[in-house]
Amino acid sequence: MKRVYKITLLLGITMLVASCHNDKAPNYQYFPNMYESVGYETYSESKAFANGQEGQLPAKGSINRGFEPYEYENSTAGYELAKANLKSPLDSLDRNSGKGKELYEIYCISCHGASGNGKGKLVEREKFLGVPSYKDREITEGSIFHVETYGLNAMGSHANQLSVHERWLVADYVLKLRSQL
Amino acid sequence: MKKVGNHNSNSRKMFLSLAMMLAFSFSSFAQDAAPAAPTEAAPAAATTGGDPVKGKALFNSNCAACHKLDAKSTGPALRGVADKHEKEWLYKWIHNSSDMIKSGDPAAVKLFNENNKSVMTSFPQLSNEDIDNIIAYTSEPKAEPAAALPGAQAGADAAQGSGSNNNVILGVLALVLVVLVVMLFMVNNVLRKVAKANGIEVAPKAQRTPIWKAFVKNQFLVLVSCVFLLLASGYFVYGYLMQVGVDQDYQPIQPIHYSHKIHAGDNEINCKYCHSAARVSKTAGIPSLNVCMNCHKNISEVAETTATPEYSKAFYDAQIQKLYDAVGWDKTTQSYTGKTQPVKWVRIHNLPDFVYFNHSQHVTVGGIECQTCHGPVETYEIQKQFAPLTMGWCVDCHRKTDVKMEGNGYYKKIHEELSKKYGVEKLTEAQMGGLECGKCHY
């Protein structure tokens, strides 16, 4: 009988120790002061500013380095102007580098599909509807760039994922797809 | 040694106002522009004679970008429009709405103003028959949610049922086992009693030295077991100490239950769509909420089929609502309220500050898949840390992995020199200097 008690005790202790392991909290650390830095970490909470955040918005009107102004405004009129006048600055080396395809397959393929026919994975699964085939739209380099920058109705802006140069590469690839549809 | 809190100090804060600045949307909406949505009760009377199945296909490819059946999107909800307008009016409107507005049709002008002067695309290519089909589709009665539920419920029940069935079977087995053991005891007891009653002497057991006494007397055995015990405890203590500071499998509860399985797995969204900085910078970054809104302006709830026995549709919908609360998106008016709130994501992967790790070096230059280091993320319902992120882990991989030299002009010279030096064709990252302390430590 005693043996039974001992075995249950042992099992109980093992279980107790095992259950101490908790995936929801970080582990112990030897010298936390080497790991947890004294300076503010990116996007951390901090009492230094009134809104309790370490990262602050840049001052109004500031622009980042290498910023190129984009002079067409986000409106139907701006769209028409960009369609008519805006021309791509890419040279033939850029156009053939294959980078456009790579970027298209990251950012546009979910909705527009690999061939640009408007049948991407999200459309096929009926999660996101109303994506046109490129063939059905009168589009130019300029209008594609404009739409990537500002979005259009249900399509959102991709300007913070793609740099100006990258947007031109993608626009070029879209035209290539359109000519093959 | 100290137990630290969640890496809360590093919790990411989203700067929604910044996000909003970036997330220009083409058309803006006025708060007061909510038109009276058509009644949900379907107009069964409006039989248009079109084919609703063809209509659905046409609607999904042409109109669904701006119209939903039962909710306002860019344009008004379309269920039951056939009751609101004459058929001729609808043909004219859909073929060219801006002309009607210009010509001063009162209904058209009113609609235009109510919808904040957004322009509806013209569809001259649609024939009257096509439009009849679309109208037939919009005139279909709304599918009763109750009608859809029993099937789904039954499915869920079946799934649930098989789970609980297993448990019941296990429970019954355990019970049977216990009963068997008890019965054995009882039978033994009864037999003894019967034997006693019948006057049969059960032979008394011969007195033996207890086993522990025999063990203590054998000094060699004691020594061996002591050594064994020491080694074993040394092994466990070493194991315990080595895992201090390693956060493998760390899986905190996030403020929004965001599932990589649904996004990157089922819907095959590319990792870099959201973690777009991984291509070009040191950090991979957590997407700001305007990226989420590229899709979630349209996706305000999950499909019935997305729900699992563990997480219901209501649970998932509530998570999307949390996203809307954070960006300040009002679902009913389809516009931003301007009231935003940062999402405090809990940081999972966190190298100490004295280590330099660069994503673009590994992802873009080295061409390593995210999954090599982060595991099968596309199957995680809840994100966790897959790799130990110890120095040994980094160094191991640098010893084993060949550097991709082809097509990289930057490496041409060093490849020639080093491959001559080591007499090999392929160079590992370690041979390239990936073990030098200064490469990883500031």
Side-chain angles (χ1 to χ4, degrees):
Chain A
M1 230 34 203
K2 250 194 194 150
R3 207 162 336 130
V4 177
Y5 284 134
K6 274 188 200 150
I7 288 174
T8 32
L9 198 75
L10 214 72
L11 268 177
I13 289 174
T14 328
M15 259 151 73
L16 218 85
V17 170
S19 63
C20 275
H21 186 69
N22 177 7
D23 283 341
K24 304 270 185 287
N27 205 344
Y28 289 94
Q29 295 176 346
Y30 285 117
F31 299 112
N33 39 0
M34 285 279 285
Y35 284 71
E36 310 281 320
S37 81
V38 186
Y40 302 126
E41 297 253 3
T42 324
Y43 295 143
S44 60
E45 283 176 279
S46 130
K47 296 205 180 68
F49 296 101
N51 63 357
Q53 302 174 350
E54 178 269 336
Q56 299 290 305
L57 287 177
K60 244 205 174 105
S62 46
I63 54 174
N64 59 353
R65 205 165 141 240
F67 175 81
E68 294 165 41
Y70 180 62
E71 54 217 53
Y72 299 92
E73 62 175 15
N74 182 13
S75 68
T76 322
Y79 172 82
E80 294 299 343
L81 277 176
K83 189 184 245 177
N85 304 329
L86 191 57
K87 288 282 171 289
S88 166
L90 297 184
D91 54 24
S92 61
L93 201 68
D94 280 332
R95 284 176 203 267
N96 295 324
S97 65
K99 281 228 50 117
K101 179 172 171 13
E102 205 177 289
L103 291 169
Y104 179 89
E105 290 181 350
I106 295 172
Y107 295 106
C108 320
I109 200 168
S110 310
C111 294
H112 286 281
S115 64
N117 60 0
K119 300 260 181 306
K121 190 78 189 174
L122 290 175
V123 180
E124 251 171 38
R125 290 170 53 91
E126 299 203 1
K127 304 291 180 204
F128 197 105
L129 296 171
V131 183
S133 163
Y134 288 135
K135 207 177 53 188
D136 297 344
R137 294 289 172 100
E138 283 304 318
I139 49 178
T140 66
E141 276 179 335
S143 82
I144 300 171
F145 183 85
H146 189 87
V147 169
E148 287 172 80
T149 307
Y150 288 129
L152 175 66
N153 297 324
M155 176 174 153
S157 156
H158 288 74
N160 76 330
Q161 287 138 295
L162 293 165
S163 70
V164 171
H165 183 68
E166 288 167 342
R167 270 175 268 157
W168 280 119
L169 289 171
V170 175
D172 184 59
Y173 183 68
V174 168
L175 278 187
K176 206 180 281 170
L177 283 180
R178 185 168 184 269
S179 65
Q180 289 161 3
L181 272 173
Chain B
M1 194 158 86
K2 173 177 145 204
K3 181 124 178 154
V4 290
N6 274 355
H7 300 314
N8 230 348
S9 55
N10 310 330
S11 68
R12 278 144 201 291
K13 299 217 145 189
M14 308 255 123
F15 286 90
L16 295 159
S17 28
L18 178 67
M20 312 270 298
M21 263 170 43
L22 293 163
F24 294 105
S25 81
F26 197 71
S27 43
S28 49
F29 305 89
Q31 316 274 90
D32 56 349
T39 45
E40 309 237 307
T47 35
T48 46
D51 178 357
V53 179
K54 275 189 204 144
K56 182 176 179 192
L58 283 167
F59 181 88
N60 281 353
S61 56
N62 291 306
C63 322
C66 303
H67 291 288
K68 286 186 182 168
L69 282 183
D70 301 305
K72 185 179 158 42
S73 171
T74 309
L78 280 194
R79 196 185 291 285
V81 270
D83 292 352
K84 279 174 67 188
H85 305 287
E86 294 290 313
K87 222 176 203 177
E88 283 308 316
W89 188 94
L90 284 173
Y91 292 154
K92 251 167 74 190
W93 171 265
I94 291 164
H95 282 146
N96 197 338
S97 68
S98 2
D99 265 8
M100 276 178 94
I101 296 163
K102 268 194 214 119
S103 69
D105 181 293
V109 173
K110 181 157 166 282
L111 252 179
F112 187 59
N113 289 334
E114 271 173 357
N115 285 281
N116 201 32
K117 308 202 161 134
S118 3
V119 181
M120 169 161 150
T121 328
S122 300
F123 294 93
Q125 73 272 25
L126 293 179
S127 67
N128 285 359
E129 200 186 323
D130 288 338
I131 293 176
D132 279 344
N133 291 340
I134 294 174
I135 292 171
Y137 174 60
T138 61
S139 303
E140 279 193 326
K142 187 175 184 177
E144 281 296 318
L149 266 180
Q153 200 71 25
D157 277 354
Q160 201 94 32
S162 74
S164 52
N165 266 354
N166 277 347
N167 282 347
V168 167
I169 291 174
L170 278 181
V172 168
L173 279 182
L175 204 76
V176 168
L177 219 77
V178 169
V179 169
L180 277 179
V181 168
V182 170
M183 266 161 67
L184 217 74
F185 257 105
M186 273 156 58
V187 167
N188 197 354
N189 266 356
V190 169
L191 281 181
R192 259 174 220 274
K193 270 185 200 148
V194 169
K196 218 179 204 169
N198 289 355
I200 301 170
E201 267 308 306
V202 181
K205 279 187 191 154
Q207 196 66 36
R208 276 183 296 171
T209 36
I211 194 152
W212 65 270
K213 262 190 190 152
F215 176 76
V216 169
K217 277 194 190 136
N218 187 336
Q219 290 199 341
F220 175 70
L221 251 186
V222 171
L223 189 73
V224 166
S225 22
C226 276
V227 169
F228 179 75
L229 257 175
L230 273 176
L231 281 178
S233 50
Y235 175 79
F236 284 114
V237 168
Y238 178 80
Y240 176 77
L241 291 181
M242 285 313 279
Q243 61 83 47
V244 169
V246 176
D247 283 321
Q248 198 163 15
D249 290 331
Y250 173 43
Q251 190 175 44
I253 298 168
Q254 300 287 355
I256 296 179
H257 177 95
Y258 165 84
S259 158
H260 277 83
K261 177 173 167 293
I262 291 177
H263 289 88
D266 298 348
N267 290 301
E268 291 174 20
I269 303 168
N270 197 301
C271 307
K272 294 171 213 160
Y273 188 92
C274 293
H275 302 290
S276 65
R279 282 188 303 121
V280 290
S281 77
K282 174 180 177 298
T283 48
I286 302 298
S288 62
L289 298 186
N290 66 310
V291 174
C292 313
M293 291 309 282
N294 276 357
C295 292
H296 281 287
K297 257 192 203 170
N298 253 15
I299 304 173
S300 58
E301 53 181 25
V302 300
E304 212 48 82
T305 46
T306 307
T308 58
E310 199 177 347
Y311 299 106
S312 66
K313 174 171 155 54
F315 172 80
Y316 280 143
D317 289 352
Q319 303 305 314
I320 298 182
Q321 188 55 46
K322 278 193 207 162
L323 167 66
Y324 287 168
D325 292 342
V327 273
W329 173 256
D330 189 334
K331 221 169 24 174
T332 47
T333 59
Q334 293 280 310
S335 60
Y336 286 107
T337 58
K339 271 199 238 94
T340 62
Q341 209 184 349
V343 177
K344 298 188 187 178
W345 300 112
V346 179
R347 183 167 184 161
I348 304 167
H349 297 73
N350 195 9
L351 285 172
D353 266 11
F354 51 79
V355 186
Y356 171 80
F357 175 82
N358 190 323
H359 268 93
S360 61
Q361 172 104 45
H362 290 88
V363 173
T364 308
V365 184
I368 302 171
E369 293 292 324
C370 311
Q371 279 82 351
T372 320
C373 300
H374 292 297
V377 171
E378 66 280 0
T379 62
Y380 294 167
E381 179 74 27
I382 301 170
Q383 181 65 251
K384 66 169 184 187
Q385 181 171 323
F386 172 80
L389 297 196
T390 54
M391 179 162 151
W393 175 73
C394 308
V395 166
D396 244 15
C397 181
H398 284 189
R399 287 219 172 95
K400 284 190 207 125
T401 314
D402 290 330
V403 179
K404 236 178 54 181
M405 301 274 184
E406 321 83 55
N408 193 341
Y410 185 74
Y411 283 145
K412 203 158 168 274
K413 190 152 164 256
I414 192 160
H415 181 218
E416 270 168 20
E417 284 176 9
L418 285 178
S419 54
K420 212 178 288 159
K421 181 170 162 201
Y422 293 111
V424 287
E425 196 40 50
K426 291 219 158 236
L427 286 169
T428 62
E429 175 51 24
Q431 286 164 327
M432 286 271 294
L435 301 188
E436 285 164 26
C437 316
K439 290 266 168 83
C440 304
H441 292 294
Y442 293 108

